[in-house]
PDB file of all heavy atoms in Angstrom:
ATOM      1  N   ARG I 312      17.631  -7.259   8.835  1.00  0.00           N
ATOM      2  CA  ARG I 312      17.453  -7.267   7.391  1.00  0.00           C
ATOM      3  C   ARG I 312      16.140  -6.594   6.983  1.00  0.00           C
ATOM      4  O   ARG I 312      16.153  -5.717   6.137  1.00  0.00           O
ATOM      5  CB  ARG I 312      17.545  -8.697   6.866  1.00  0.00           C
ATOM      6  CG  ARG I 312      18.182  -8.764   5.496  1.00  0.00           C
ATOM      7  CD  ARG I 312      18.412 -10.180   5.072  1.00  0.00           C
ATOM      8  NE  ARG I 312      19.664 -10.726   5.590  1.00  0.00           N
ATOM      9  CZ  ARG I 312      20.112 -11.928   5.244  1.00  0.00           C
ATOM     10  NH1 ARG I 312      19.419 -12.702   4.436  1.00  0.00           N
ATOM     11  NH2 ARG I 312      21.255 -12.362   5.719  1.00  0.00           N
ATOM     12  N   PRO I 313      14.990  -6.977   7.615  1.00  0.00           N
ATOM     13  CA  PRO I 313      13.759  -6.248   7.276  1.00  0.00           C
ATOM     14  C   PRO I 313      13.840  -4.764   7.612  1.00  0.00           C
ATOM     15  O   PRO I 313      13.240  -3.937   6.920  1.00  0.00           O
ATOM     16  CB  PRO I 313      12.662  -6.940   8.095  1.00  0.00           C
ATOM     17  CG  PRO I 313      13.323  -7.914   8.964  1.00  0.00           C
ATOM     18  CD  PRO I 313      14.700  -8.136   8.469  1.00  0.00           C
ATOM     19  N   LEU I 314      14.619  -4.418   8.672  1.00  0.00           N
ATOM     20  CA  LEU I 314      14.757  -2.994   9.015  1.00  0.00           C
ATOM     21  C   LEU I 314      15.444  -2.241   7.884  1.00  0.00           C
ATOM     22  O   LEU I 314      14.988  -1.172   7.465  1.00  0.00           O
ATOM     23  CB  LEU I 314      15.538  -2.837  10.327  1.00  0.00           C
ATOM     24  CG  LEU I 314      15.757  -1.392  10.788  1.00  0.00           C
ATOM     25  CD1 LEU I 314      14.435  -0.708  11.113  1.00  0.00           C
ATOM     26  CD2 LEU I 314      16.680  -1.332  11.997  1.00  0.00           C
ATOM     27  N   ALA I 315      16.539  -2.814   7.363  1.00  0.00           N
ATOM     28  CA  ALA I 315      17.257  -2.189   6.254  1.00  0.00           C
ATOM     29  C   ALA I 315      16.340  -2.051   5.033  1.00  0.00           C
ATOM     30  O   ALA I 315      16.304  -1.005   4.375  1.00  0.00           O
ATOM     31  CB  ALA I 315      18.491  -3.012   5.902  1.00  0.00           C
ATOM     32  N   LEU I 316      15.567  -3.105   4.755  1.00  0.00           N
ATOM     33  CA  LEU I 316      14.653  -3.074   3.607  1.00  0.00           C
ATOM     34  C   LEU I 316      13.538  -2.048   3.818  1.00  0.00           C
ATOM     35  O   LEU I 316      13.121  -1.371   2.878  1.00  0.00           O
ATOM     36  CB  LEU I 316      14.051  -4.461   3.384  1.00  0.00           C
ATOM     37  CG  LEU I 316      15.006  -5.522   2.827  1.00  0.00           C
ATOM     38  CD1 LEU I 316      14.417  -6.912   2.995  1.00  0.00           C
ATOM     39  CD2 LEU I 316      15.301  -5.255   1.354  1.00  0.00           C
ATOM     40  N   THR I 317      13.046  -1.936   5.074  1.00  0.00           N
ATOM     41  CA  THR I 317      11.969  -0.988   5.363  1.00  0.00           C
ATOM     42  C   THR I 317      12.456   0.448   5.193  1.00  0.00           C
ATOM     43  O   THR I 317      11.734   1.299   4.664  1.00  0.00           O
ATOM     44  CB  THR I 317      11.421  -1.213   6.788  1.00  0.00           C
ATOM     45  OG1 THR I 317      11.087  -2.583   6.943  1.00  0.00           O
ATOM     46  CG2 THR I 317      10.177  -0.381   7.026  1.00  0.00           C
ATOM     47  N   ILE I 318      13.700   0.724   5.635  1.00  0.00           N
ATOM     48  CA  ILE I 318      14.247   2.074   5.461  1.00  0.00           C
ATOM     49  C   ILE I 318      14.387   2.387   3.966  1.00  0.00           C
ATOM     50  O   ILE I 318      14.031   3.475   3.509  1.00  0.00           O
ATOM     51  CB  ILE I 318      15.595   2.207   6.207  1.00  0.00           C
ATOM     52  CG1 ILE I 318      15.350   2.150   7.723  1.00  0.00           C
ATOM     53  CG2 ILE I 318      16.291   3.517   5.837  1.00  0.00           C
ATOM     54  CD1 ILE I 318      16.605   2.011   8.557  1.00  0.00           C
ATOM     55  N   THR I 319      14.864   1.397   3.187  1.00  0.00           N
ATOM     56  CA  THR I 319      14.967   1.580   1.734  1.00  0.00           C
ATOM     57  C   THR I 319      13.587   1.840   1.132  1.00  0.00           C
ATOM     58  O   THR I 319      13.420   2.714   0.277  1.00  0.00           O
ATOM     59  CB  THR I 319      15.572   0.322   1.073  1.00  0.00           C
ATOM     60  OG1 THR I 319      16.663  -0.130   1.871  1.00  0.00           O
ATOM     61  CG2 THR I 319      16.053   0.606  -0.328  1.00  0.00           C
ATOM     62  N   ALA I 320      12.576   1.080   1.603  1.00  0.00           N
ATOM     63  CA  ALA I 320      11.209   1.255   1.101  1.00  0.00           C
ATOM     64  C   ALA I 320      10.676   2.638   1.430  1.00  0.00           C
ATOM     65  O   ALA I 320       9.962   3.242   0.621  1.00  0.00           O
ATOM     66  CB  ALA I 320      10.294   0.178   1.685  1.00  0.00           C
ATOM     67  N   LEU I 321      11.035   3.158   2.623  1.00  0.00           N
ATOM     68  CA  LEU I 321      10.593   4.497   3.012  1.00  0.00           C
ATOM     69  C   LEU I 321      11.140   5.536   2.036  1.00  0.00           C
ATOM     70  O   LEU I 321      10.412   6.424   1.571  1.00  0.00           O
ATOM     71  CB  LEU I 321      11.049   4.803   4.445  1.00  0.00           C
ATOM     72  CG  LEU I 321      10.655   6.177   5.008  1.00  0.00           C
ATOM     73  CD1 LEU I 321       9.145   6.262   5.198  1.00  0.00           C
ATOM     74  CD2 LEU I 321      11.366   6.465   6.307  1.00  0.00           C
ATOM     75  N   ILE I 322      12.437   5.415   1.696  1.00  0.00           N
ATOM     76  CA  ILE I 322      13.053   6.341   0.741  1.00  0.00           C
ATOM     77  C   ILE I 322      12.367   6.219  -0.620  1.00  0.00           C
ATOM     78  O   ILE I 322      12.020   7.229  -1.252  1.00  0.00           O
ATOM     79  CB  ILE I 322      14.574   6.061   0.621  1.00  0.00           C
ATOM     80  CG1 ILE I 322      15.248   6.312   1.975  1.00  0.00           C
ATOM     81  CG2 ILE I 322      15.207   6.937  -0.456  1.00  0.00           C
ATOM     82  CD1 ILE I 322      16.660   5.765   2.081  1.00  0.00           C
ATOM     83  N   ALA I 323      12.127   4.959  -1.063  1.00  0.00           N
ATOM     84  CA  ALA I 323      11.466   4.736  -2.356  1.00  0.00           C
ATOM     85  C   ALA I 323      10.057   5.320  -2.350  1.00  0.00           C
ATOM     86  O   ALA I 323       9.604   5.891  -3.342  1.00  0.00           O
ATOM     87  CB  ALA I 323      11.428   3.242  -2.671  1.00  0.00           C
ATOM     88  N   LEU I 324       9.352   5.186  -1.216  1.00  0.00           N
ATOM     89  CA  LEU I 324       7.977   5.703  -1.123  1.00  0.00           C
ATOM     90  C   LEU I 324       7.959   7.230  -1.216  1.00  0.00           C
ATOM     91  O   LEU I 324       7.111   7.811  -1.894  1.00  0.00           O
ATOM     92  CB  LEU I 324       7.321   5.263   0.184  1.00  0.00           C
ATOM     93  CG  LEU I 324       5.845   5.631   0.312  1.00  0.00           C
ATOM     94  CD1 LEU I 324       4.978   4.621  -0.425  1.00  0.00           C
ATOM     95  CD2 LEU I 324       5.408   5.722   1.757  1.00  0.00           C
ATOM     96  N   ILE I 325       8.930   7.873  -0.551  1.00  0.00           N
ATOM     97  CA  ILE I 325       9.006   9.333  -0.612  1.00  0.00           C
ATOM     98  C   ILE I 325       9.281   9.769  -2.057  1.00  0.00           C
ATOM     99  O   ILE I 325       8.625  10.672  -2.585  1.00  0.00           O
ATOM    100  CB  ILE I 325      10.088   9.867   0.364  1.00  0.00           C
ATOM    101  CG1 ILE I 325       9.638   9.621   1.811  1.00  0.00           C
ATOM    102  CG2 ILE I 325      10.339  11.357   0.131  1.00  0.00           C
ATOM    103  CD1 ILE I 325      10.723   9.843   2.851  1.00  0.00           C
ATOM    104  N   LEU I 326      10.239   9.074  -2.706  1.00  0.00           N
ATOM    105  CA  LEU I 326      10.555   9.384  -4.111  1.00  0.00           C
ATOM    106  C   LEU I 326       9.336   9.149  -5.009  1.00  0.00           C
ATOM    107  O   LEU I 326       9.018   9.971  -5.871  1.00  0.00           O
ATOM    108  CB  LEU I 326      11.712   8.518  -4.590  1.00  0.00           C
ATOM    109  CG  LEU I 326      13.114   9.041  -4.325  1.00  0.00           C
ATOM    110  CD1 LEU I 326      14.137   8.029  -4.807  1.00  0.00           C
ATOM    111  CD2 LEU I 326      13.309  10.388  -5.041  1.00  0.00           C
ATOM    112  N   ALA I 327       8.638   8.017  -4.767  1.00  0.00           N
ATOM    113  CA  ALA I 327       7.493   7.651  -5.613  1.00  0.00           C
ATOM    114  C   ALA I 327       6.388   8.695  -5.528  1.00  0.00           C
ATOM    115  O   ALA I 327       5.610   8.854  -6.467  1.00  0.00           O
ATOM    116  CB  ALA I 327       6.954   6.287  -5.205  1.00  0.00           C
ATOM    117  N   ASN I 328       6.313   9.389  -4.381  1.00  0.00           N
ATOM    118  CA  ASN I 328       5.226  10.351  -4.198  1.00  0.00           C
ATOM    119  C   ASN I 328       5.620  11.792  -4.437  1.00  0.00           C
ATOM    120  O   ASN I 328       4.764  12.668  -4.479  1.00  0.00           O
ATOM    121  CB  ASN I 328       4.634  10.203  -2.796  1.00  0.00           C
ATOM    122  CG  ASN I 328       3.746   8.985  -2.712  1.00  0.00           C
ATOM    123  OD1 ASN I 328       2.665   8.965  -3.275  1.00  0.00           O
ATOM    124  ND2 ASN I 328       4.227   7.952  -2.063  1.00  0.00           N
ATOM    125  N   THR I 329       6.917  12.058  -4.588  1.00  0.00           N
ATOM    126  CA  THR I 329       7.314  13.443  -4.809  1.00  0.00           C
ATOM    127  C   THR I 329       7.889  13.640  -6.209  1.00  0.00           C
ATOM    128  O   THR I 329       7.687  14.683  -6.821  1.00  0.00           O
ATOM    129  CB  THR I 329       8.356  13.884  -3.758  1.00  0.00           C
ATOM    130  OG1 THR I 329       9.399  12.915  -3.725  1.00  0.00           O
ATOM    131  CG2 THR I 329       7.728  14.003  -2.392  1.00  0.00           C
ATOM    132  N   ALA I 330       8.580  12.606  -6.725  1.00  0.00           N
ATOM    133  CA  ALA I 330       9.154  12.738  -8.065  1.00  0.00           C
ATOM    134  C   ALA I 330       8.089  12.432  -9.115  1.00  0.00           C
ATOM    135  O   ALA I 330       7.186  11.644  -8.865  1.00  0.00           O
ATOM    136  CB  ALA I 330      10.328  11.769  -8.204  1.00  0.00           C
ATOM    137  N   PRO I 331       8.170  13.060 -10.284  1.00  0.00           N
ATOM    138  CA  PRO I 331       7.164  12.805 -11.325  1.00  0.00           C
ATOM    139  C   PRO I 331       7.199  11.356 -11.801  1.00  0.00           C
ATOM    140  O   PRO I 331       8.268  10.766 -11.944  1.00  0.00           O
ATOM    141  CB  PRO I 331       7.545  13.744 -12.461  1.00  0.00           C
ATOM    142  CG  PRO I 331       8.675  14.558 -12.005  1.00  0.00           C
ATOM    143  CD  PRO I 331       9.154  14.059 -10.685  1.00  0.00           C
ATOM    144  N   LEU I 332       5.989  10.777 -12.006  1.00  0.00           N
ATOM    145  CA  LEU I 332       5.897   9.407 -12.511  1.00  0.00           C
ATOM    146  C   LEU I 332       6.318   9.346 -13.967  1.00  0.00           C
ATOM    147  O   LEU I 332       7.004   8.442 -14.406  1.00  0.00           O
ATOM    148  CB  LEU I 332       4.453   8.915 -12.416  1.00  0.00           C
ATOM    149  CG  LEU I 332       3.929   8.538 -11.050  1.00  0.00           C
ATOM    150  CD1 LEU I 332       2.468   8.166 -11.167  1.00  0.00           C
ATOM    151  CD2 LEU I 332       4.716   7.387 -10.478  1.00  0.00           C
ATOM    152  N   MET I 333       5.814  10.329 -14.719  1.00  0.00           N
ATOM    153  CA  MET I 333       6.176  10.386 -16.133  1.00  0.00           C
ATOM    154  C   MET I 333       5.979  11.801 -16.640  1.00  0.00           C
ATOM    155  O   MET I 333       5.204  12.565 -16.087  1.00  0.00           O
ATOM    156  CB  MET I 333       5.340   9.405 -16.942  1.00  0.00           C
ATOM    157  CG  MET I 333       3.847   9.584 -16.790  1.00  0.00           C
ATOM    158  SD  MET I 333       2.944   8.421 -17.815  1.00  0.00           S
ATOM    159  CE  MET I 333       2.307   7.284 -16.611  1.00  0.00           C
ATOM    160  N   GLY I 334       6.728  12.121 -17.660  1.00  0.00           N
ATOM    161  CA  GLY I 334       6.561  13.415 -18.293  1.00  0.00           C
ATOM    162  C   GLY I 334       5.990  13.205 -19.685  1.00  0.00           C
ATOM    163  O   GLY I 334       6.320  12.233 -20.358  1.00  0.00           O
TER     164      GLY I 334
END
Side-chain angles (χ1 to χ4, degrees):
R312 214 173 276 186
L314 180 64
L316 288 165
T317 308
I318 292 169
T319 317
L321 180 67
I322 297 166
L324 186 82
I325 292 168
L326 273 177
N328 284 289
T329 51
L332 285 176
M333 55 178 107

